[in-house]
Amino acid sequence: MFKKLNDKDRKRLHRKIHIRKSISGTAERPRLTVTRSNKNLSAQVINDEDGTTLASISTMEKEFAALKPNTDGAAKLGEALGARLKEKKITKVVFDRNGYLYHGVVKAIADGTRKAGIEF
């Protein structure tokens, strides 16, 4: 599996595996994971005990299609995710950066979610 990946993706996958060894979502504190690409951003809130996705958001949805995958769009996406979590009465999450550096777009999603009142 690792041989088919280029060096950059292989290193990110190793970081992702290392992070996931210590981070797990529960019913009280689900895991917020972020995925980014050059065209889209997405985030999911997952309960790892049940293996269920509690909430998700993406720039592929119609209402967020106009957002670009930059820090401004990521901040707005994070605030909208925070509002969805508040509706489901989720106030605390564990942040999973998914092997990406905590910088730029990933940090903007986290800050936007915090701005909406979600604790990490």
Side-chain angles (χ1 to χ4, degrees), residues 7-23 31-36 95-103 106-107:
D7 195 43
K8 180 179 171 183
D9 291 335
R10 185 181 304 117
K11 286 180 180 180
R12 189 187 74 79
L13 187 59
H14 277 288
R15 284 192 304 268
K16 177 181 175 176
I17 291 168
H18 183 78
I19 291 167
R20 284 286 287 125
K21 286 180 186 177
S22 62
I23 293 176
R31 176 172 55 100
L32 168 61
T33 184
V34 176
T35 306
R36 67 178 176 87
F95 189 72
D96 178 10
R97 60 188 174 94
N98 211 8
Y100 300 113
L101 293 176
Y102 187 76
H103 180 268
V106 176
K107 184 175 185 247

Side-chain angles (χ1 to χ4, degrees), residues 77-87 90 112-113 116-118:
L77 198 71
E79 289 178 24
L81 177 63
R84 286 187 185 181
L85 292 176
K86 286 286 189 179
E87 288 175 8
I90 298 172
T113 309
I118 306 299

